[in-house]
Each structure stands twice: as structure tokens, then as C-alpha cells.
Amino acid sequence: MGNLRNTSQRRVILEELVKLKTHPTANELYEIVRKRIPKISLGTVYRNLELLAESGLIQKLDTAGTQKRFDGMVGDHYHVRCVKCGRVDDLDFPFLNSLNKSASLAGNYKIISHRLEFEGICPECRSQELDGKSYVDHERITG
Amino acid sequence: MGNLRNTSQRRVILEELVKLKTHPTANELYEIVRKRIPKISLGTVYRNLELLAESGLIQKLDTAGTQKRFDGMVGDHYHVRCVKCGRVDDLDFPFLNSLNKSASLAGNYKIISHRLEFEGICPECRSQELDGKSYVDHERITG
DNA sequence: TATTAAAATAGTAACAGTTACTATTAATGG
DNA sequence: CCATTAATAGTAACTGTTACTATTTTAATA
Ligand SMILES: [Mn+2]
Ligand SMILES: [Mn+2]
Ligand SMILES: [Zn+2]
Ligand SMILES: [Zn+2]
């Protein structure tokens, strides 16, 4: 395969990432890996995430506007991002293979891929939002 | 409307942005506006782009992985980004209104919006790529 | 196993894009 | 005009990321 050496740092980074259903940032993963390798450096995490993504073992998610996130699931799938707390979740949504073809016709680019990303409010933030609303209502009613 | 004062800086920033078909970064627009207001500061450009986007007069494009770009066209439309040179173009592609509904069913988020972004190679970079290929072929044949 | 060359590491500095701060200037409403 | 207050220029600070470098570790070979 890739001529990547088997270092404990690289192994643990990969292990911890694939465990997670969240899509951590480099720094979030750094904090997790640090529990097993306290002296690991943040640069090592960045470098290995880059290398692992290049070799196809993980996925780099360039989600819009925010910092990079990483994904241990490599198959094609879409994501939804919470606009309140920033968390990113997988969506059980069929992959739209025909989009690239359609886009080729809509412009004069040679289309390679597409990225479909939803924005919304996650269940946790949604319930907080509802709590807030009812609190406000209560305030208004009871003056 | 928005309680934004009508400053020459803000006016020129908006004027120049809507003129462009490209989707400039804050810095690119700064360089353009500087030709008309040489003493304008980069911070002013950033601040106003943010305010104009908030008030819905322009669009902020959080394109994946790279710096923010801005768009004078506010209607819903999709973009394609060249992976070689980074340029971003509009696509004449129908807006997929049904996607949000589908995504709502595919997870437990309250879906607000979606972003569909294509990656490809622009005509300019594509022709360079072909030049390169034929050069290599020529080398191989005549080498 | 011992030797060696290359790759990877920790620690740190540098960098790029963006935002925050502050004293000064300018737009707006009366 | 004047007073209020938003906006500005200039600059510093911040954040996420990448680059650098001396040292350590891996893995191939003898
Ligand atoms: Mn995922
Ligand atoms: Mn556009
Ligand atoms: Zn949330
Ligand atoms: Zn290009």
C-alpha cells in the first residue's frame, strides 16, 4: 500500500477516528489521542490526518466556512451541520450519482465530484430552542 | 431598511462586487476597490462584506476548505470550483427545492438549507492540462 | 542481531485569513 | 449648525494550519 510506516501515533489516530461517529476537528482528535499518547504533538495529528486522507483510509471534510473535520467513514455520504453548535452528522440519504453528469451539461467545467451539505438544527439545540421559546411565552403571559 | 449608513466605502464595495461575475475573496475585492478609494482599509472591506451579507444585499460563499468568497447575485444557485486554480463559477443548474424535505426525513435535524458545490477543472486549466499531456506524449514519442 | 538510510516525531516558529481594538472622521436627524 | 453615534483607517491580536529542525524511530538489509 502507501509507504506509510506503522507508528503508534498514526495507528492510534486512525483507531480513535474510526471509533467516532462525530466528525472531529484536528484539535478535537488531538485531545482524544492525547489520553493514550500524552506527548503527541498537534502537528503530528495534522500531518497524519492529511496523509491518511491522501491514502484513502479516512476522509477530509472541508465543511463550509469552518475548520476542517475528519471522517473515519470513507464511502460516499452526505452530512448535515448544526448551525447552532457546529456539530456534523451523517445523513442516511441516497447518493446522487447523476448530479455530476447534469452539472457537466450546465457549464463548461470537467466535473470531478460534488459536495452536498445540509444546514439545520440538531435535536439537542432544537430542544433548547423550544425550551427558550416556552420560557419567553411564559414570561410574556405572566408578565 | 437596515440601519446602515450610506458611506462611499460601502457603496463602492457593493458596486464593484455586483459588477463581477467572479466570486472574489475579501482581499481580491479590496484590491479592486482600492483603485477607487486608495486609502480604504482591508478591515473595512471585511466588515462591510459581512454587513452586506447579513442584510441580504450580497451572498457569502463559504466554499469548502478555502477562504470565503462573496457573490453579488443573491438568488439561489449552485457553484463549481476549479480544483487547479480555485476559481468559482456559477452553474446554470435548476435549484433542487425537494432536497431539504428529503433530508429532513433522512435524519432528525430541522433542515434549514443546503449547499451543493461541484468540483471540477475549468476550461482554462483544462486546456493547459491537455497541452501538458500532448507535450509528454511528444516527449515519449520523440525521446 | 547490528547497521544503516529514510521517515516520522516533538516542539516550536511562521504563516494566512480574519477579527478586534482604538482614536479619529463622517453621516444622519433634529 | 450641532450632537449623536456609526463607520473608518491603521494596527494589533487571534485562530487554524503549515513549515522547520534537531532528534528519535522504523524497517530493510547484511
Ligand atoms: Mn460522515
Ligand atoms: Mn454565484
Ligand atoms: Zn446543535
Ligand atoms: Zn482553473
Side-chain angles (χ1 to χ4, degrees):
Chain A
M1 296 277 139
N3 38 1
L4 294 186
R5 290 185 177 175
N6 179 21
T7 67
S8 61
Q9 289 89 340
R10 182 168 298 148
R11 200 170 346 102
V12 171
I13 288 169
L14 181 56
E15 269 177 35
E16 293 298 328
L17 178 58
V18 298
K19 254 190 230 174
L20 294 170
K21 295 186 181 180
T22 68
H23 300 78
T25 63
N27 197 67
E28 286 167 356
L29 194 56
Y30 169 60
E31 293 299 341
I32 290 165
V33 170
R34 226 138 72 105
K35 292 173 187 160
R36 293 177 58 185
I37 309 177
K39 288 194 67 73
I40 197 171
S41 101
L42 179 57
T44 297
V45 175
Y46 269 105
R47 186 168 14 82
N48 278 297
L49 286 172
E50 205 63 40
L51 291 169
L52 290 168
E54 274 173 24
S55 65
L57 292 169
I58 68 170
Q59 219 181 332
K60 176 161 56 160
L61 302 183
D62 286 327
T63 40
T66 70
Q67 65 241 61
K68 292 172 186 168
R69 291 180 174 272
F70 296 87
D71 192 340
M73 199 194 296
V74 288
D76 281 330
H77 61 284
Y78 299 125
H79 294 101
V80 56
R81 183 170 45 83
C82 178
V83 297
K84 297 280 181 195
C85 68
R87 106 177 239 178
V88 172
D89 277 297
D90 293 328
L91 273 181
D92 184 17
F93 194 99
F95 194 75
L96 305 170
N97 289 297
S98 63
L99 283 183
N100 291 2
K101 240 168 295 169
S102 309
S104 295
L105 303 172
N108 40 15
Y109 275 59
K110 174 183 169 191
I111 303 291
I112 295 170
S113 64
H114 70 267
R115 170 179 299 113
L116 173 58
E117 182 191 321
F118 292 89
E119 288 179 348
I121 303 180
C122 75
E124 287 76 9
C125 290
R126 183 136 173 65
S127 65
Q128 280 173 29
E129 213 178 39
L130 291 173
D131 287 359
K133 263 212 191 94
S134 57
Y135 175 71
V136 168
D137 283 348
H138 184 259
E139 282 285 279
R140 188 153 48 77
I141 290 165
T142 60
Chain B
M1 295 274 141
N3 37 2
L4 293 186
R5 288 187 179 173
N6 180 20
T7 67
S8 61
Q9 288 90 340
R10 182 167 297 146
R11 199 170 347 100
V12 171
I13 288 169
L14 181 56
E15 268 177 36
E16 292 297 329
L17 178 58
V18 297
K19 252 190 230 174
L20 293 170
K21 296 185 183 182
T22 68
H23 300 78
T25 63
N27 197 68
E28 285 167 357
L29 192 56
Y30 168 60
E31 292 299 341
I32 290 165
V33 170
R34 227 139 71 106
K35 291 172 185 158
R36 292 178 59 185
I37 309 178
K39 289 193 68 71
I40 197 171
S41 102
L42 178 58
T44 297
V45 175
Y46 269 105
R47 186 169 14 82
N48 278 297
L49 286 172
E50 206 62 41
L51 291 169
L52 291 168
E54 273 172 25
S55 65
L57 292 169
I58 68 170
Q59 219 182 334
K60 176 161 56 160
L61 301 183
D62 287 326
T63 40
T66 71
Q67 66 243 62
K68 292 172 187 169
R69 292 179 172 273
F70 296 87
D71 191 341
M73 199 193 298
V74 289
D76 280 330
H77 61 283
Y78 300 125
H79 294 101
V80 57
R81 184 169 45 83
C82 179
V83 296
K84 297 281 181 195
C85 67
R87 104 176 241 179
V88 172
D89 277 298
D90 293 329
L91 273 182
D92 183 18
F93 194 98
F95 194 75
L96 304 170
N97 288 296
S98 62
L99 283 184
N100 292 2
K101 240 168 295 167
S102 310
S104 296
L105 303 173
N108 39 16
Y109 275 59
K110 175 184 170 192
I111 304 291
I112 295 168
S113 64
H114 70 267
R115 170 179 298 113
L116 174 57
E117 181 190 322
F118 292 89
E119 289 179 347
I121 302 179
C122 77
E124 286 76 9
C125 290
R126 183 139 172 64
S127 64
Q128 280 173 29
E129 214 178 37
L130 291 173
D131 287 358
K133 264 212 190 95
S134 56
Y135 176 72
V136 168
D137 284 348
H138 183 258
E139 283 285 282
R140 188 154 49 75
I141 290 165
T142 60

